[in-house]
Amino acid sequence: MAQCRASRAQVGPFPESSTRSQSDRFVHGTKPVLIKRAKIWTGTKNGTEVIHGDILLDKGLIKSVGHLYGLHDIYGSDLVVVDAKDGWVTPGIVDIHSHLGDSPSPALNGAEDGNSLRGTIQPWLRSLDGLNTHDDSYPLSIAGGVTTALVLPGSTNAIGASTCGQAFVIKLRSTKERRFYEDTRMDVSWEFRQAYKKAFDLMVKQDQYCSQALAGKWKGLGDFPQDLQWEALVDVIRGRVKVNAHCYEAVDLDALVRLSNEFKFPIAAVHHASEAYLVPDLLKKTYDLVIWDSHPLALGATPVQVFIDGIPQLQSPHIVRKPKAFQESPKVPNFDKEAAKAVQYEGLPPLAPAKPLPSITVFTNISSVYLRRDDSIEMTFSASSISGSGIAVVQDGSMTCLGQQAQCLSTLDATNATFIDLEGGSIAPGLVSFGSPLGLHHIQEEESTNDGDVFDPFIGEGVPNIAGGDTAVVRAMDGLLFGSRDAYLAFRAGVTSAITAPTHKNFLSGLGVSFSLGATNGLEAGAVIQDVAGLHVTVKHLSKPSVSSQIAALRRLLLGEHDSAVGFWFKKVVEGEIPLVVEAHSADIIATLIVLKKEVEARTGSTLKLTITGATEAHILAEDLGEARVGVILNPSRPFPYVWENRRILPGPPLTRDSAIVKLKEHGVTVGVGCEEIWSARNLPFDVAWAAIEAGGRISRLEALALGTVNVQKLLGVEVDAAKVDLVVTRGGELLDFDSKVVAVLSSKGASQLLA
């Protein structure tokens, strides 16, 4: 009878939730907290409601909001008072798609509990059964303001993860679909329908049984029909379990809707949903709070304190004081035209630059101009230094005049010029992407659209003789793929060039190349900026070969005979003509590379140009790297302990005072910022700006621009004439500002483009 009643119960919060005086997660001994002088962003009224007042937390609940007085009389010395100083306070962030605690950080095979490889349909899997609440991802998530997560099983199983599975909502307080089974969409749909039919039939039997039982007709009724394997799906069809679906493309969304219509179950959320342009808002009620150091949507917004169940989570947080402007709601550029084109072209609007800049263009209302000078960035114009805004005249891609209107227009025939108001905008060098296979990949998961991985002399049968055998060196330039959507999106975001090495999975990569992201093919003027940009290798903890074997190979290549193709290029490395670029994350491996550099220099008498990329643990050796004159390209710029060899991170505020970038710079290390994925190159302006923001004034705007431009080129051996650097023109702010928009790219090598 209890099972019958449970099957008919309505889904929702338990009845006492609105009247309870204490949270069921309350930890006895936790003191009440009064947050005073808060700017409370409730999220209601379409996100516009802001309340100025106080918040009382007690017994794991929000007890009161408003202008609160007399609480010391009630709580006495137990009351903890936190002065928000008119700072922003929001509900805790809810991560509605997470694998926290099931997929370990750092990744270890013995601790991996995200997927089961025992079948396609497994609704009985429960993420709760694999949860590790001591995972390194917990404190890092909390430090970002995440207080609650919906933890799903992994994405391998069709059911068990991506459509149903038994996911659990957890509090973060300590205490490539289908590929494994090689199923087609038809296979998966059939598996879905079979599984839901079994569950539907079981539900019908249960309902028939309960109708008899509740009517008192027990004769010959037998036992309640149940099957533990399918109970989760029965609850889905009853609407008692919310369905969260991994679904990317429109064809899969259609299939999911057909399935839900056939078996009459609701869908709570579609995750990823790359082709879903309209999705419903999710309203979450929480008793967790975050106090922010700036507006929560401002770039680099960081928690000052996080309360989960009324308990403060950050011990002695490091706080960066930010300018008053960061407390205001950030403005966003107008992308109405882009949005309209996305709809017009069904999500794939043309992105290739196709609107050449008029031969004479005058940019008005300029606030600042930054230009490259040798190996640094200089501000060559600031509107604050003159009365009024500036003006720039561009003729055939080159800036011929910069200054005040009277100065630049006195000798110009304005009748033949096109005037563009930048509304306080700026001009700065284009950013440079490095670290992803941008330029060698179009669609990452489609091998037929990519250049592919190079053969490695360590693995299998090595490099085929027809390609030169194990002494061959591959050039990335030979495999360049121009015109990818990710390249054009990066170009439109102000990242005008990239440096890419041959893609590989093991030790030897090859020769990198520097190229334009706005070019449509390799024969265009300025498409290839420099055909050789460093010799690239990787030294990591691979399954094979061992790290010591990789170092032994590197030592032999540097100090051995140089009469082969690989020897020819390693000789150039030894002679200091091109840099040796080594991807390494572990501080132990980086230390070994420093020792090897000194050994080579002692035996050859030359100076080795060594650049470490990845470099997650490089901050541990900041002083040694500075003394050895070894450069670093951090990738990613905001670290995460993905695997064991990069677990010792320096995350920056609020967990640590310094970020890795700050610590390395303060020890004289030349630092650049990299990009992990081909799609993330467009976010490079945000990554560079974030690094400066969290440094609290220890990285200037000029130094921030250098992190994504001249430093990257210098560390990878790309020599560019400062007068021929691409310049990015922005409207409404500077290139690194959240509210600016790229409107043009000036190029003296190729065609200058008008983008907006």
Side-chain angles (χ1 to χ4, degrees), residues 471-686:
T471 61
V473 174
V474 175
R475 296 176 179 235
M477 184 182 73
D478 296 333
L480 278 178
L481 301 170
F482 289 90
S484 74
R485 297 190 69 81
D486 288 297
Y488 287 152
L489 286 168
F491 186 80
R492 288 174 174 274
V495 185
T496 60
S497 67
I499 301 168
T500 296
T503 55
H504 69 298
K505 289 188 173 69
N506 292 287
F507 171 69
L508 184 59
S509 171
L511 298 172
V513 61
S514 174
F515 63 100
S516 169
L517 293 178
T520 59
N521 64 78
L523 297 181
E524 282 187 11
V528 176
I529 297 170
Q530 186 169 303
D531 56 3
V532 173
L535 180 57
H536 299 251
V537 301
T538 293
V539 180
K540 297 199 307 188
H541 287 277
L542 307 164
S543 57
K544 63 171 99 170
S546 67
V547 168
S548 52
S549 298
Q550 296 170 59
I551 294 294
L554 195 55
R555 179 181 287 108
R556 175 180 172 275
L557 290 167
L558 288 166
L559 295 174
E561 298 295 328
H562 293 143
D563 56 356
S564 61
V566 70
F568 173 84
W569 289 105
F570 269 94
K571 183 179 180 182
K572 287 185 174 294
V573 168
V574 171
E575 292 174 348
E577 291 186 31
I578 63 173
L580 177 63
V581 184
V582 184
E583 181 189 357
H585 292 271
S586 164
D588 301 309
I589 294 175
I590 296 171
T592 300
L593 292 169
I594 293 174
V595 172
L596 179 60
K597 178 179 186 290
K598 293 178 179 178
E599 178 185 345
V600 172
E601 290 175 341
R603 291 179 59 175
T604 63
S606 59
T607 299
L608 202 68
K609 295 177 181 177
L610 176 61
T611 296
I612 307 296
T613 72
T616 306
E617 295 186 352
H619 62 92
I620 298 172
L621 302 169
E623 184 175 353
D624 303 279
L625 288 165
E627 292 176 352
R629 301 183 67 182
V630 175
V632 167
I633 298 178
L634 285 168
N635 190 19
S637 58
R638 294 186 301 283
F640 186 83
Y642 293 109
V643 294
W644 186 257
E645 67 178 352
N646 58 14
R647 70 193 184 280
R648 295 174 290 185
I649 66 173
L650 192 65
L655 296 181
T656 61
R657 174 180 178 269
D658 295 336
S659 66
I661 293 176
V662 167
K663 187 167 184 180
L664 289 164
K665 279 183 56 60
E666 289 184 346
H667 284 87
V669 179
T670 300
V671 183
V673 169
C675 304
E676 282 189 289
E677 306 283 353
I678 57 176
W679 57 264
S680 62
R682 72 195 73 161
N683 295 332
L684 185 56
F686 298 149

Side-chain angles (χ1 to χ4, degrees), residues 230-544:
W230 304 106
E231 286 297 339
L233 275 191
V234 171
D235 282 342
V236 167
I237 297 173
R238 293 189 187 280
R240 303 185 70 247
V241 169
K242 295 182 181 296
V243 173
N244 288 264
H246 291 208
C247 210
Y248 294 82
E249 299 180 44
V251 61
D252 299 315
L253 288 166
D254 289 341
L256 181 64
V257 171
R258 283 197 302 271
L259 185 70
S260 68
N261 287 337
E262 181 178 359
F263 293 100
K264 311 300 181 187
F265 65 88
I267 300 169
V270 177
H271 296 240
H272 303 300
S274 305
E275 295 186 355
Y277 302 112
L278 297 173
V279 295
D281 294 331
L282 297 177
L283 179 62
K284 300 286 185 179
K285 185 176 181 181
T286 178
Y287 297 108
D288 305 327
L289 294 177
V290 181
I291 305 176
W292 299 88
D293 65 358
S294 53
H295 190 284
L297 296 184
L299 185 64
T302 303
V304 171
Q305 187 53 270
V306 178
F307 294 90
I308 301 180
D309 299 328
I311 303 172
Q313 300 296 306
L314 301 179
Q315 306 301 318
S316 303
H318 297 273
I319 301 169
V320 174
R321 299 300 175 190
K322 296 178 179 176
K324 186 177 180 181
F326 279 75
Q327 303 302 327
E328 304 299 325
S329 177
K331 299 177 182 177
V332 293
N334 187 321
F335 288 106
D336 288 349
K337 290 182 180 179
E338 290 82 354
K341 281 188 176 181
V343 174
Q344 177 186 352
Y345 291 95
E346 298 182 344
L348 294 172
L351 296 173
K355 192 174 181 181
L357 196 70
S359 59
I360 302 176
T361 304
V362 179
F363 293 105
T364 64
N365 200 3
I366 299 174
S367 65
S368 59
V369 175
Y370 301 88
L371 297 177
R372 178 168 177 168
R373 292 285 185 265
D374 298 324
D375 289 335
S376 64
I377 303 293
E378 293 182 2
M379 176 182 276
T380 58
F381 173 81
S382 174
S384 61
S385 63
I386 64 172
S387 57
S389 58
I391 189 173
V393 177
V394 176
Q395 300 187 59
D396 298 324
S398 297
M399 196 170 359
T400 57
C401 186
L402 173 64
Q404 293 178 297
Q405 182 170 328
Q407 170 190 350
C408 290
L409 297 184
S410 59
T411 59
L412 181 71
D413 182 5
T415 58
N416 295 322
T418 299
F419 287 76
I420 298 176
D421 184 358
L422 295 186
E423 302 171 15
S426 180
I427 299 176
L431 299 180
V432 182
S433 168
F434 169 74
S436 78
L438 188 63
L440 297 176
H441 282 191
H442 272 254
I443 305 172
Q444 187 164 333
E445 298 299 325
E446 290 289 345
E447 292 183 359
S448 63
T449 71
N450 304 330
D451 179 52
D453 295 330
V454 302
F455 291 100
D456 191 276
F458 262 122
I459 304 301
E461 298 180 358
V463 182
N465 289 332
I466 194 172
D470 288 346
T471 61
V473 174
V474 175
R475 296 176 179 235
M477 184 182 73
D478 296 333
L480 278 178
L481 301 170
F482 289 90
S484 74
R485 297 190 69 81
D486 288 297
Y488 287 152
L489 286 168
F491 186 80
R492 288 174 174 274
V495 185
T496 60
S497 67
I499 301 168
T500 296
T503 55
H504 69 298
K505 289 188 173 69
N506 292 287
F507 171 69
L508 184 59
S509 171
L511 298 172
V513 61
S514 174
F515 63 100
S516 169
L517 293 178
T520 59
N521 64 78
L523 297 181
E524 282 187 11
V528 176
I529 297 170
Q530 186 169 303
D531 56 3
V532 173
L535 180 57
H536 299 251
V537 301
T538 293
V539 180
K540 297 199 307 188
H541 287 277
L542 307 164
S543 57
K544 63 171 99 170

